[in-house]
Amino acid sequence: MQRALVLAGLAADHEDVPNRSAGRHRVVARRACRQLLAATLCACFVMAWAQASAQSYPSRPIRIVVGFGAGSNPDVLTRPLAQKMSQVLGQPVVVENRAGASGMIALELVTKSPPDGYTLLSAPPTAIIINSYLQSKTSVDVLNGLAPVTPFASTPLVLVTSPTLPAQTVKELIALAKRKPGTLTFASPGVGSGIHMAGELFKSTAGIEILHVPYKEASTFLTDVMSGRVDMVFSVAAVVAPLVKAGKLRVLAVTGPTRSAAWPEVPTMAEAGVRGNEVTAWYGLFVPTATPKDIIAKLNSAIVKVLATQEMKNFYATENAEAMTSTPSEFAMKIRAEHDKWGPVIKAAGIKPE
C-alpha cells in the first residue's frame, strides 16, 4: 500500500511538470506581449510627438551656429539669411559664432544638440568633408552626425600671387614652379582648410611641387603674400578683391566652372590650361541627424523662399557669391560626391588624421 502511494505521488509529479512548464511559457508570452505593447505605444508616442512638434514648429527662437568668427565669409553670408528667415518663420533666428578647430567646435555642438530644429549649423565643406578625414579624435560622427537642409551660397576661389613674382599667367607660374621645384610657396589658414586643399589640388593637377605654409590668421598670410614672403594663395574672391584693385595682389585665375561676374576678364583655371582644378566654396545649413523630416522640409522651404528674393541675390553678388538651394536629398548627394573627390587629394598630399 505504501509503495502504491509513493508510485502515485511520482506519477502526479510527472503530470505536473508539463503543467508547470506550460505555466512558465504563458508567463513568458504575457511578458513578451507587454514588452511589445510598451514598445509599440512608445513608438506611437514618439511619432505623435514628432508630428505635433513639426506642426507647431517653430514656437521659439532658432539659432544658427557658425564655426568661424564674426566678419568671416561664412558669418557674413549667414547673417542676412538668418534675418530674412525670421520674417518667414515668424520667430527670431539668431547667429552664434563658435570659432575654432577648423569648424569642429561648432560641428560638435550642433550634432550633440536636441534634434528639434532649433539648432542649425552653417558650414563650408571643410568643416564637414575634410574634417571627416582628418579629425580622428572627435567624439562625433563628422560625416553622418548631421542631416543636410540646403546649400545657400557658393563662391569660387581665386589664385592670387605677389605682384613681385615673375609670373603674369598660370602657365608662367607653372613653368616657374617646374624650373624651381619645391621653392615656391603657397599660404593657407591651416592644415586641412579649404584653401589648403585648393593648393594641394593645384599641385596635383598641374604636376608641380610647391611648399605649403600654414598660418593661423588670414590677415597675416595675405600680408606675407603682398610682401612676397609667400608666393601665392587661393582665396575667397571677396576677401582679396580690394587688394587686387589696389595693385597689392595679382589675380591669375578663378577656380569656378565659369568666369566670375565680378572679374569677367580673369580666366578660369581650365581656360588657363589646368583642367580638373575646379573648386567652389559653398556654404550650407545642417541639423542633427534625427531631426524630423517635416521640420527639415519647413526649414528648406523657408530658406528657398528667402533666397529667391532679388534682395538676397543682390547682396550675395556684392560679396562675389551666388545664392543656391537644393532639396535635402540633392544636398546629401553633393556632400557625398565632394567627400569622394577630396579623399584622393588628402592621400596624395600625405596629410594624416590628427
Side-chain angles (χ1 to χ4, degrees):
M1 182 63 147
Q2 186 175 7
R3 176 176 176 158
L5 290 172
V6 171
L7 292 173
L10 289 172
D13 286 343
H14 281 295
E15 287 178 2
D16 194 42
V17 167
N19 290 337
R20 290 198 300 271
S21 178
R24 284 195 298 272
H25 285 307
R26 282 195 295 272
V27 170
V28 171
R30 284 196 296 271
R31 186 178 300 142
C33 286
R34 286 196 296 270
Q35 291 173 343
L36 178 61
L37 178 60
T40 303
L41 290 173
C42 182
C44 291
F45 173 79
V46 170
M47 289 176 62
W49 173 84
Q51 290 173 354
S53 297
Q55 289 171 1
S56 62
Y57 176 85
S59 59
R60 54 188 172 87
I62 297 167
R63 66 171 174 167
I64 300 178
V65 182
V66 178
F68 301 86
S72 64
N73 210 51
D75 178 75
V76 168
L77 297 177
T78 301
R79 287 185 180 276
L81 174 62
Q83 182 182 4
K84 296 299 181 182
M85 283 174 63
S86 67
Q87 296 174 9
V88 175
L89 294 169
Q91 290 289 340
V93 180
V94 298
V95 173
E96 180 179 320
N97 297 94
R98 290 295 186 95
S102 298
M104 280 301 300
I105 292 175
L107 190 148
E108 290 195 4
L109 186 154
V110 175
T111 56
K112 294 178 179 179
S113 296
D116 52 14
Y118 290 99
T119 302
L120 285 71
L121 174 71
S122 173
T126 50
I128 297 174
I129 296 168
I130 306 303
N131 280 330
S132 71
Y133 286 105
L134 301 184
Q135 297 291 340
S136 60
K137 296 179 181 179
T138 178
S139 60
V140 300
D141 186 335
V142 175
L143 194 61
N144 299 309
L146 296 166
V149 178
T150 182
F152 64 89
S154 69
T155 180
L157 301 179
V158 291
L159 172 58
V160 294
T161 67
S162 164
T164 61
L165 190 70
Q168 302 287 326
T169 66
V170 173
K171 286 185 178 180
E172 290 178 3
L173 176 62
I174 293 172
L176 180 62
K178 287 184 175 180
R179 286 198 304 272
K180 300 179 178 181
T183 59
L184 296 188
T185 54
F186 74 98
S188 87
V191 175
S193 64
I195 290 175
H196 176 204
M197 291 297 100
E200 294 294 347
L201 183 62
F202 179 49
K203 286 172 55 178
S204 175
T205 52
I208 57 176
E209 186 56 43
I210 53 179
L211 297 178
H212 174 225
V213 183
Y215 287 75
K216 291 185 178 181
E217 295 183 7
S219 59
T220 305
F221 72 67
L222 287 176
T223 299
D224 282 358
V225 176
M226 286 187 286
S227 67
R229 282 190 288 270
V230 180
D231 297 308
M232 72 195 84
V233 67
F234 286 86
S235 174
V236 173
V239 173
V240 296
L243 301 174
V244 172
K245 187 176 181 179
K248 296 180 179 180
L249 290 172
R250 178 187 296 141
V251 60
L252 300 189
V254 297
T255 63
T258 59
R259 294 193 180 200
S260 168
W263 291 335
E265 73 283 1
V266 178
T268 66
M269 290 292 285
E271 290 173 334
V274 185
R275 298 196 175 275
N277 206 100
E278 185 178 311
V279 181
T280 300
W282 49 262
Y283 304 89
L285 291 174
F286 305 81
V287 290
T289 297
T291 303
K293 291 184 178 180
D294 288 351
I295 289 178
I296 293 175
K298 278 191 176 183
L299 287 167
N300 180 278
S301 177
I303 296 162
V304 169
K305 185 175 181 179
V306 168
L307 293 177
T309 65
Q310 195 60 46
E311 182 182 0
M312 284 299 296
K313 291 178 181 178
N314 291 343
F315 172 77
Y316 280 166
T318 63
E319 296 295 325
N320 290 286
E322 194 174 316
M324 64 181 295
T325 59
S326 75
T327 65
S329 59
E330 289 169 343
F331 193 19
M333 288 189 289
K334 178 179 176 63
I335 292 168
R336 287 290 178 182
E338 289 282 304
H339 184 264
D340 293 343
K341 170 184 176 178
W342 289 110
V345 177
I346 292 170
K347 183 177 180 180
I351 305 171
K352 303 297 182 183
E354 296 181 359

